Amino acid sequence: MDTITLWPLAALAAASTLVGFSKTAVSGANTISLAVFAAVLPARESTGVLLPILIAGDILAVLAYRRHAHWPTLLRLFPAVAAGVVGGTVFMLWADDAAVGTSIGAILLLMSGITLWRRRATARTGEAAERDREPTAGAGASRSGTPPGGEPPTETGPPGTEQGPPRTGRLKARAYGALGGFTTMVANAGGPVLSLYLLSAGFRKLGFLGTSAWFFLIVNTSKVPFSVGLGLIDARSLLLDAVLVLFVLPGAYLGRACAGRINQTVFDRIVIGATVLGGLQLLLN
């Protein structure tokens, strides 16, 4: 790793601040930090420098949202994530910078397109159901599953998880988990994949942030031995991390202050928009 001049260092510091913000407010925005690190540093080396910064942000996010994680979702994801991390490690043994950037960018754009299509299809289905329900609305118990005077769904987990996931839900968890494990190992780009999975599962803000926080603290910590073995983390990268980690805390504080004020619709759009931008940056870089 060559000596870094002032302006590239400033860019890395700003990206580190965004890591803290993304961990406590808008998870998908983390792809912007990934793109900045990959632009300033060689792509392979950037993953090793960024990983300790991400872990620092994960710790702060867990401290802020530790009570809002949905553990059944995490337990469904982890086996497939482990397989994806192993696959990503094998890929990194031979992939060069161009292969890493192009493959991850293409995956992010594909996942964004699928999520947008799924959300539009769900919205159309919901509108049709509302029209069918109108003639009998208001009689007796609520048709939405919440009794009159009952409590609305909490923001911890997705709707309908109490009775366990159907077969399609398990298959989706495995697919997203494997893809998330692969992308997080290859380029620390698992955030958009998990974001798309949680949004498609119907998570609200607090459950989204709490589940993401625990997921990435566990996964990113488990990646450290693999990254050291691949030569992505060494004494020089840790020295740079010692400087950049100082910028994570103000970003996390700002994100925590803003998270409760972000409208859910705006929140979803920001996540998907940041994913698309990050994917385009990686694909075109």
Side-chain angles (χ1 to χ4, degrees):
M1 187 183 303
D2 298 329
T3 302
I4 301 176
T5 57
L6 178 60
W7 288 112
L9 183 61
L12 293 177
S16 299
T17 302
L18 185 57
V19 166
F21 181 83
S22 70
K23 290 295 185 179
T24 56
V26 183
S27 180
N30 207 37
T31 54
I32 301 173
S33 298
L34 188 160
V36 172
F37 271 74
V40 173
L41 304 170
R44 283 177 59 88
E45 293 183 16
S46 71
T47 62
V49 175
L50 183 56
L51 182 56
I53 303 298
L54 294 173
I55 293 174
D58 294 329
I59 293 172
L60 295 173
V62 165
L63 291 175
Y65 300 113
R66 60 188 178 277
R67 299 179 181 177
H68 300 286
H70 190 252
W71 285 99
T73 295
L74 291 172
L75 295 176
R76 285 198 299 271
L77 288 169
F78 281 145
V81 171
V85 168
V86 172
T89 302
V90 173
F91 177 80
M92 290 293 283
L93 289 173
W94 62 266
D96 58 13
D97 290 342
V100 170
T102 301
S103 59
I104 298 303
I107 289 171
L108 295 184
L109 292 178
L110 175 63
M111 298 304 296
S112 298
I114 292 174
T115 297
L116 288 172
W117 175 79
R118 286 176 57 87
R119 291 178 72 82
R120 289 182 180 179
T122 301
R124 288 196 295 268
T125 302
E127 291 174 359
E130 285 293 333
R131 288 195 296 269
D132 294 340
R133 189 181 299 131
E134 285 177 0
T136 56
S142 169
R143 299 295 295 274
S144 64
T146 302
E151 293 294 329
T154 68
E155 289 198 352
T156 298
T161 55
E162 294 79 1
Q163 298 178 354
R167 179 175 176 81
T168 55
R170 291 194 298 268
L171 291 175
K172 184 173 75 169
R174 291 169 186 167
Y176 274 89
L179 182 59
F182 179 83
T183 55
T184 193
M185 187 64 227
V186 171
N188 293 314
V193 178
L194 181 68
S195 295
L196 298 178
Y197 174 73
L198 296 181
L199 289 179
S200 69
F203 274 79
R204 305 292 290 176
K205 280 182 294 187
L206 291 179
F208 181 104
L209 293 167
T211 304
S212 296
W214 277 109
F215 177 90
F216 283 112
L217 179 60
I218 294 170
V219 171
N220 284 335
T221 302
S222 71
K223 286 161 47 183
V224 171
F226 295 96
S227 297
V228 172
L230 289 168
L232 301 176
I233 295 179
D234 55 23
R236 292 180 300 172
S237 69
L238 290 175
L239 182 61
L240 179 57
D241 286 325
V243 176
L244 296 178
V245 74
L246 300 176
F247 296 91
V248 178
L249 184 58
Y253 178 81
L254 180 62
R256 186 70 177 91
C258 293
R261 304 175 184 178
I262 300 176
N263 178 271
Q264 182 68 40
T265 301
V266 175
F267 179 83
D268 293 351
R269 290 175 179 174
I270 291 175
V271 169
I272 294 174
T275 302
V276 171
L277 290 176
L280 286 172
Q281 172 65 27
L282 288 170
L283 191 62
L284 300 175
N285 193 21

mmCIF file of all heavy atoms in Angstrom, residues 13-54:
data_model
loop_
_atom_site.group_PDB
_atom_site.id
_atom_site.type_symbol
_atom_site.label_atom_id
_atom_site.label_comp_id
_atom_site.label_asym_id
_atom_site.label_seq_id
_atom_site.Cartn_x
_atom_site.Cartn_y
_atom_site.Cartn_z
ATOM 1 N N ALA A 13 -11.670 9.236 5.038
ATOM 2 C CA ALA A 13 -12.240 9.666 6.319
ATOM 3 C C ALA A 13 -13.746 9.927 6.176
ATOM 4 O O ALA A 13 -14.544 9.524 7.043
ATOM 5 C CB ALA A 13 -11.523 10.913 6.817
ATOM 6 N N ALA A 14 -14.136 10.593 5.084
ATOM 7 C CA ALA A 14 -15.556 10.846 4.851
ATOM 8 C C ALA A 14 -16.319 9.539 4.655
ATOM 9 O O ALA A 14 -17.440 9.373 5.162
ATOM 10 C CB ALA A 14 -15.728 11.747 3.633
ATOM 11 N N ALA A 15 -15.710 8.606 3.931
ATOM 12 C CA ALA A 15 -16.348 7.307 3.730
ATOM 13 C C ALA A 15 -16.476 6.545 5.043
ATOM 14 O O ALA A 15 -17.464 5.834 5.260
ATOM 15 C CB ALA A 15 -15.551 6.491 2.714
ATOM 16 N N SER A 16 -15.507 6.696 5.935
ATOM 17 C CA SER A 16 -15.584 6.050 7.247
ATOM 18 C C SER A 16 -16.707 6.653 8.084
ATOM 19 O O SER A 16 -17.410 5.938 8.811
ATOM 20 C CB SER A 16 -14.243 6.196 7.981
ATOM 21 O OG SER A 16 -13.208 5.570 7.263
ATOM 22 N N THR A 17 -16.886 7.967 7.989
ATOM 23 C CA THR A 17 -18.017 8.608 8.669
ATOM 24 C C THR A 17 -19.336 8.071 8.138
ATOM 25 O O THR A 17 -20.275 7.816 8.906
ATOM 26 C CB THR A 17 -17.954 10.136 8.473
ATOM 27 O OG1 THR A 17 -16.713 10.628 8.971
ATOM 28 C CG2 THR A 17 -19.097 10.830 9.203
ATOM 29 N N LEU A 18 -19.402 7.877 6.826
ATOM 30 C CA LEU A 18 -20.618 7.328 6.215
ATOM 31 C C LEU A 18 -20.861 5.894 6.663
ATOM 32 O O LEU A 18 -22.011 5.458 6.762
ATOM 33 C CB LEU A 18 -20.519 7.401 4.692
ATOM 34 C CG LEU A 18 -21.763 6.982 3.903
ATOM 35 C CD1 LEU A 18 -22.964 7.820 4.321
ATOM 36 C CD2 LEU A 18 -21.521 7.119 2.411
ATOM 37 N N VAL A 19 -19.782 5.146 6.950
ATOM 38 C CA VAL A 19 -19.951 3.800 7.492
ATOM 39 C C VAL A 19 -20.722 3.867 8.807
ATOM 40 O O VAL A 19 -21.685 3.120 9.024
ATOM 41 C CB VAL A 19 -18.581 3.124 7.716
ATOM 42 C CG1 VAL A 19 -18.733 1.872 8.593
ATOM 43 C CG2 VAL A 19 -17.954 2.735 6.388
ATOM 44 N N GLY A 20 -20.309 4.774 9.708
ATOM 45 C CA GLY A 20 -21.013 4.916 10.969
ATOM 46 C C GLY A 20 -22.463 5.312 10.772
ATOM 47 O O GLY A 20 -23.364 4.761 11.423
ATOM 48 N N PHE A 21 -22.712 6.245 9.846
ATOM 49 C CA PHE A 21 -24.088 6.685 9.571
ATOM 50 C C PHE A 21 -24.919 5.548 9.011
ATOM 51 O O PHE A 21 -26.069 5.343 9.408
ATOM 52 C CB PHE A 21 -24.057 7.855 8.591
ATOM 53 C CG PHE A 21 -25.416 8.397 8.248
ATOM 54 C CD1 PHE A 21 -26.038 9.312 9.083
ATOM 55 C CD2 PHE A 21 -26.078 7.985 7.106
ATOM 56 C CE1 PHE A 21 -27.303 9.814 8.783
ATOM 57 C CE2 PHE A 21 -27.332 8.474 6.791
ATOM 58 C CZ PHE A 21 -27.952 9.387 7.630
ATOM 59 N N SER A 22 -24.343 4.797 8.073
ATOM 60 C CA SER A 22 -25.100 3.716 7.439
ATOM 61 C C SER A 22 -25.420 2.605 8.428
ATOM 62 O O SER A 22 -26.480 1.977 8.346
ATOM 63 C CB SER A 22 -24.317 3.145 6.251
ATOM 64 O OG SER A 22 -23.174 2.437 6.692
ATOM 65 N N LYS A 23 -24.533 2.366 9.382
ATOM 66 C CA LYS A 23 -24.768 1.293 10.342
ATOM 67 C C LYS A 23 -25.899 1.608 11.311
ATOM 68 O O LYS A 23 -26.539 0.699 11.835
ATOM 69 C CB LYS A 23 -23.485 1.017 11.135
ATOM 70 C CG LYS A 23 -22.381 0.374 10.320
ATOM 71 C CD LYS A 23 -22.738 -1.015 9.848
ATOM 72 C CE LYS A 23 -21.589 -1.692 9.131
ATOM 73 N NZ LYS A 23 -21.925 -3.068 8.687
ATOM 74 N N THR A 24 -26.159 2.883 11.553
ATOM 75 C CA THR A 24 -27.198 3.255 12.516
ATOM 76 C C THR A 24 -28.401 3.947 11.884
ATOM 77 O O THR A 24 -29.334 4.305 12.595
ATOM 78 C CB THR A 24 -26.621 4.187 13.595
ATOM 79 O OG1 THR A 24 -26.022 5.326 12.972
ATOM 80 C CG2 THR A 24 -25.579 3.465 14.426
ATOM 81 N N ALA A 25 -28.407 4.121 10.546
ATOM 82 C CA ALA A 25 -29.531 4.809 9.911
ATOM 83 C C ALA A 25 -29.944 4.168 8.593
ATOM 84 O O ALA A 25 -31.042 3.637 8.474
ATOM 85 C CB ALA A 25 -29.200 6.288 9.692
ATOM 86 N N VAL A 26 -29.101 4.212 7.573
ATOM 87 C CA VAL A 26 -29.475 3.755 6.230
ATOM 88 C C VAL A 26 -28.458 2.721 5.769
ATOM 89 O O VAL A 26 -27.400 3.049 5.235
ATOM 90 C CB VAL A 26 -29.528 4.935 5.230
ATOM 91 C CG1 VAL A 26 -29.979 4.444 3.863
ATOM 92 C CG2 VAL A 26 -30.471 6.014 5.746
ATOM 93 N N SER A 27 -28.778 1.453 5.979
ATOM 94 C CA SER A 27 -27.810 0.382 5.743
ATOM 95 C C SER A 27 -27.293 0.347 4.312
ATOM 96 O O SER A 27 -26.107 0.141 4.078
ATOM 97 C CB SER A 27 -28.447 -0.974 6.090
ATOM 98 O OG SER A 27 -27.559 -2.021 5.877
ATOM 99 N N GLY A 28 -28.157 0.516 3.321
ATOM 100 C CA GLY A 28 -27.734 0.422 1.932
ATOM 101 C C GLY A 28 -26.731 1.472 1.524
ATOM 102 O O GLY A 28 -25.993 1.300 0.544
ATOM 103 N N ALA A 29 -26.666 2.576 2.278
ATOM 104 C CA ALA A 29 -25.730 3.644 1.943
ATOM 105 C C ALA A 29 -24.283 3.214 2.116
ATOM 106 O O ALA A 29 -23.360 3.885 1.650
ATOM 107 C CB ALA A 29 -26.010 4.877 2.805
ATOM 108 N N ASN A 30 -24.078 2.079 2.752
ATOM 109 C CA ASN A 30 -22.725 1.588 2.967
ATOM 110 C C ASN A 30 -22.005 1.282 1.660
ATOM 111 O O ASN A 30 -20.770 1.270 1.601
ATOM 112 C CB ASN A 30 -22.774 0.328 3.832
ATOM 113 C CG ASN A 30 -21.518 0.131 4.625
ATOM 114 O OD1 ASN A 30 -20.915 1.089 5.102
ATOM 115 N ND2 ASN A 30 -21.102 -1.105 4.759
ATOM 116 N N THR A 31 -22.764 1.016 0.598
ATOM 117 C CA THR A 31 -22.134 0.732 -0.690
ATOM 118 C C THR A 31 -21.377 1.947 -1.220
ATOM 119 O O THR A 31 -20.434 1.790 -1.999
ATOM 120 C CB THR A 31 -23.186 0.309 -1.731
ATOM 121 O OG1 THR A 31 -24.213 1.297 -1.805
ATOM 122 C CG2 THR A 31 -23.805 -1.026 -1.367
ATOM 123 N N ILE A 32 -21.785 3.136 -0.820
ATOM 124 C CA ILE A 32 -21.064 4.341 -1.239
ATOM 125 C C ILE A 32 -19.667 4.342 -0.623
ATOM 126 O O ILE A 32 -18.674 4.656 -1.296
ATOM 127 C CB ILE A 32 -21.854 5.600 -0.844
ATOM 128 C CG1 ILE A 32 -23.240 5.582 -1.511
ATOM 129 C CG2 ILE A 32 -21.087 6.861 -1.225
ATOM 130 C CD1 ILE A 32 -24.165 6.697 -1.054
ATOM 131 N N SER A 33 -19.580 3.965 0.662
ATOM 132 C CA SER A 33 -18.270 3.859 1.307
ATOM 133 C C SER A 33 -17.418 2.811 0.616
ATOM 134 O O SER A 33 -16.209 3.002 0.399
ATOM 135 C CB SER A 33 -18.441 3.500 2.784
ATOM 136 O OG SER A 33 -19.152 4.496 3.468
ATOM 137 N N LEU A 34 -18.033 1.704 0.286
ATOM 138 C CA LEU A 34 -17.311 0.636 -0.411
ATOM 139 C C LEU A 34 -16.725 1.160 -1.715
ATOM 140 O O LEU A 34 -15.556 0.889 -2.042
ATOM 141 C CB LEU A 34 -18.281 -0.516 -0.683
ATOM 142 C CG LEU A 34 -17.777 -1.838 -1.237
ATOM 143 C CD1 LEU A 34 -18.789 -2.927 -0.952
ATOM 144 C CD2 LEU A 34 -17.525 -1.774 -2.742
ATOM 145 N N ALA A 35 -17.529 1.920 -2.460
ATOM 146 C CA ALA A 35 -17.071 2.450 -3.739
ATOM 147 C C ALA A 35 -15.923 3.441 -3.557
ATOM 148 O O ALA A 35 -14.974 3.459 -4.355
ATOM 149 C CB ALA A 35 -18.240 3.119 -4.477
ATOM 150 N N VAL A 36 -15.990 4.276 -2.509
ATOM 151 C CA VAL A 36 -14.924 5.246 -2.256
ATOM 152 C C VAL A 36 -13.619 4.528 -1.924
ATOM 153 O O VAL A 36 -12.549 4.859 -2.453
ATOM 154 C CB VAL A 36 -15.323 6.204 -1.118
ATOM 155 C CG1 VAL A 36 -14.135 7.079 -0.718
ATOM 156 C CG2 VAL A 36 -16.494 7.083 -1.548
ATOM 157 N N PHE A 37 -13.683 3.551 -1.041
ATOM 158 C CA PHE A 37 -12.478 2.810 -0.683
ATOM 159 C C PHE A 37 -11.880 2.119 -1.904
ATOM 160 O O PHE A 37 -10.649 2.105 -2.085
ATOM 161 C CB PHE A 37 -12.795 1.775 0.398
ATOM 162 C CG PHE A 37 -12.652 2.298 1.799
ATOM 163 C CD1 PHE A 37 -13.600 3.165 2.340
ATOM 164 C CD2 PHE A 37 -11.580 1.930 2.582
ATOM 165 C CE1 PHE A 37 -13.472 3.641 3.633
ATOM 166 C CE2 PHE A 37 -11.440 2.414 3.881
ATOM 167 C CZ PHE A 37 -12.389 3.274 4.411
ATOM 168 N N ALA A 38 -12.751 1.538 -2.760
ATOM 169 C CA ALA A 38 -12.257 0.845 -3.944
ATOM 170 C C ALA A 38 -11.683 1.815 -4.962
ATOM 171 O O ALA A 38 -10.823 1.439 -5.764
ATOM 172 C CB ALA A 38 -13.384 0.028 -4.575
ATOM 173 N N ALA A 39 -12.149 3.068 -4.946
ATOM 174 C CA ALA A 39 -11.631 4.061 -5.887
ATOM 175 C C ALA A 39 -10.285 4.615 -5.436
ATOM 176 O O ALA A 39 -9.406 4.888 -6.255
ATOM 177 C CB ALA A 39 -12.637 5.200 -6.052
ATOM 178 N N VAL A 40 -10.113 4.775 -4.118
ATOM 179 C CA VAL A 40 -8.872 5.352 -3.588
ATOM 180 C C VAL A 40 -7.772 4.300 -3.487
ATOM 181 O O VAL A 40 -6.597 4.576 -3.764
ATOM 182 C CB VAL A 40 -9.124 5.996 -2.220
ATOM 183 C CG1 VAL A 40 -7.819 6.456 -1.579
ATOM 184 C CG2 VAL A 40 -10.086 7.169 -2.354
ATOM 185 N N LEU A 41 -8.155 3.075 -3.090
ATOM 186 C CA LEU A 41 -7.193 1.988 -2.905
ATOM 187 C C LEU A 41 -7.424 0.910 -3.958
ATOM 188 O O LEU A 41 -8.497 0.854 -4.562
ATOM 189 C CB LEU A 41 -7.363 1.378 -1.505
ATOM 190 C CG LEU A 41 -7.252 2.336 -0.314
ATOM 191 C CD1 LEU A 41 -7.682 1.608 0.961
ATOM 192 C CD2 LEU A 41 -5.837 2.872 -0.180
ATOM 193 N N PRO A 42 -6.455 0.044 -4.201
ATOM 194 C CA PRO A 42 -6.706 -1.117 -5.061
ATOM 195 C C PRO A 42 -7.863 -1.938 -4.496
ATOM 196 O O PRO A 42 -8.007 -2.056 -3.268
ATOM 197 C CB PRO A 42 -5.379 -1.898 -4.999
ATOM 198 C CG PRO A 42 -4.355 -0.855 -4.684
ATOM 199 C CD PRO A 42 -5.043 0.126 -3.778
ATOM 200 N N ALA A 43 -8.703 -2.502 -5.371
ATOM 201 C CA ALA A 43 -9.946 -3.131 -4.933
ATOM 202 C C ALA A 43 -9.716 -4.221 -3.894
ATOM 203 O O ALA A 43 -10.412 -4.282 -2.874
ATOM 204 C CB ALA A 43 -10.697 -3.694 -6.137
ATOM 205 N N ARG A 44 -8.759 -5.097 -4.139
ATOM 206 C CA ARG A 44 -8.510 -6.176 -3.186
ATOM 207 C C ARG A 44 -8.034 -5.626 -1.842
ATOM 208 O O ARG A 44 -8.525 -6.022 -0.786
ATOM 209 C CB ARG A 44 -7.477 -7.158 -3.750
ATOM 210 C CG ARG A 44 -8.020 -8.117 -4.806
ATOM 211 C CD ARG A 44 -6.895 -8.986 -5.356
ATOM 212 N NE ARG A 44 -6.251 -9.750 -4.289
ATOM 213 C CZ ARG A 44 -6.646 -10.952 -3.864
ATOM 214 N NH1 ARG A 44 -7.695 -11.534 -4.443
ATOM 215 N NH2 ARG A 44 -6.004 -11.584 -2.896
ATOM 216 N N GLU A 45 -7.089 -4.701 -1.856
ATOM 217 C CA GLU A 45 -6.580 -4.129 -0.618
ATOM 218 C C GLU A 45 -7.654 -3.345 0.125
ATOM 219 O O GLU A 45 -7.673 -3.311 1.361
ATOM 220 C CB GLU A 45 -5.383 -3.225 -0.904
ATOM 221 C CG GLU A 45 -4.154 -3.956 -1.410
ATOM 222 C CD GLU A 45 -2.981 -3.021 -1.608
ATOM 223 O OE1 GLU A 45 -3.020 -1.890 -1.081
ATOM 224 O OE2 GLU A 45 -2.033 -3.420 -2.301
ATOM 225 N N SER A 46 -8.551 -2.712 -0.621
ATOM 226 C CA SER A 46 -9.583 -1.892 0.021
ATOM 227 C C SER A 46 -10.497 -2.729 0.908
ATOM 228 O O SER A 46 -10.981 -2.244 1.938
ATOM 229 C CB SER A 46 -10.404 -1.164 -1.041
ATOM 230 O OG SER A 46 -11.235 -2.060 -1.759
ATOM 231 N N THR A 47 -10.720 -3.993 0.542
ATOM 232 C CA THR A 47 -11.597 -4.837 1.361
ATOM 233 C C THR A 47 -10.980 -5.114 2.719
ATOM 234 O O THR A 47 -11.677 -5.162 3.738
ATOM 235 C CB THR A 47 -11.896 -6.162 0.641
ATOM 236 O OG1 THR A 47 -10.673 -6.893 0.444
ATOM 237 C CG2 THR A 47 -12.549 -5.909 -0.709
ATOM 238 N N GLY A 48 -9.650 -5.295 2.754
ATOM 239 C CA GLY A 48 -8.975 -5.535 4.024
ATOM 240 C C GLY A 48 -8.935 -4.307 4.908
ATOM 241 O O GLY A 48 -9.054 -4.413 6.135
ATOM 242 N N VAL A 49 -8.779 -3.133 4.311
ATOM 243 C CA VAL A 49 -8.774 -1.894 5.101
ATOM 244 C C VAL A 49 -10.170 -1.585 5.631
ATOM 245 O O VAL A 49 -10.341 -1.161 6.778
ATOM 246 C CB VAL A 49 -8.258 -0.714 4.243
ATOM 247 C CG1 VAL A 49 -8.365 0.595 5.018
ATOM 248 C CG2 VAL A 49 -6.816 -0.962 3.810
ATOM 249 N N LEU A 50 -11.176 -1.831 4.818
ATOM 250 C CA LEU A 50 -12.542 -1.467 5.188
ATOM 251 C C LEU A 50 -13.122 -2.377 6.261
ATOM 252 O O LEU A 50 -13.945 -1.925 7.080
ATOM 253 C CB LEU A 50 -13.436 -1.491 3.944
ATOM 254 C CG LEU A 50 -14.893 -1.060 4.108
ATOM 255 C CD1 LEU A 50 -14.987 0.341 4.691
ATOM 256 C CD2 LEU A 50 -15.618 -1.138 2.763
ATOM 257 N N LEU A 51 -12.719 -3.647 6.301
ATOM 258 C CA LEU A 51 -13.349 -4.597 7.216
ATOM 259 C C LEU A 51 -13.281 -4.165 8.685
ATOM 260 O O LEU A 51 -14.321 -4.168 9.372
ATOM 261 C CB LEU A 51 -12.735 -5.989 7.034
ATOM 262 C CG LEU A 51 -13.337 -7.103 7.900
ATOM 263 C CD1 LEU A 51 -14.845 -7.207 7.686
ATOM 264 C CD2 LEU A 51 -12.656 -8.436 7.596
ATOM 265 N N PRO A 52 -12.133 -3.775 9.256
ATOM 266 C CA PRO A 52 -12.139 -3.313 10.654
ATOM 267 C C PRO A 52 -12.991 -2.062 10.874
ATOM 268 O O PRO A 52 -13.576 -1.893 11.961
ATOM 269 C CB PRO A 52 -10.654 -3.024 10.934
ATOM 270 C CG PRO A 52 -9.910 -3.892 9.968
ATOM 271 C CD PRO A 52 -10.750 -3.870 8.725
ATOM 272 N N ILE A 53 -13.065 -1.196 9.869
ATOM 273 C CA ILE A 53 -13.937 -0.015 9.975
ATOM 274 C C ILE A 53 -15.395 -0.458 10.091
ATOM 275 O O ILE A 53 -16.170 0.075 10.906
ATOM 276 C CB ILE A 53 -13.749 0.897 8.749
ATOM 277 C CG1 ILE A 53 -12.293 1.323 8.598
ATOM 278 C CG2 ILE A 53 -14.656 2.120 8.846
ATOM 279 C CD1 ILE A 53 -11.755 2.122 9.733
ATOM 280 N N LEU A 54 -15.768 -1.435 9.295
ATOM 281 C CA LEU A 54 -17.133 -1.945 9.352
ATOM 282 C C LEU A 54 -17.430 -2.582 10.702
ATOM 283 O O LEU A 54 -18.523 -2.407 11.256
ATOM 284 C CB LEU A 54 -17.347 -2.967 8.230
ATOM 285 C CG LEU A 54 -17.298 -2.434 6.802
ATOM 286 C CD1 LEU A 54 -17.356 -3.583 5.801
ATOM 287 C CD2 LEU A 54 -18.432 -1.452 6.546
#
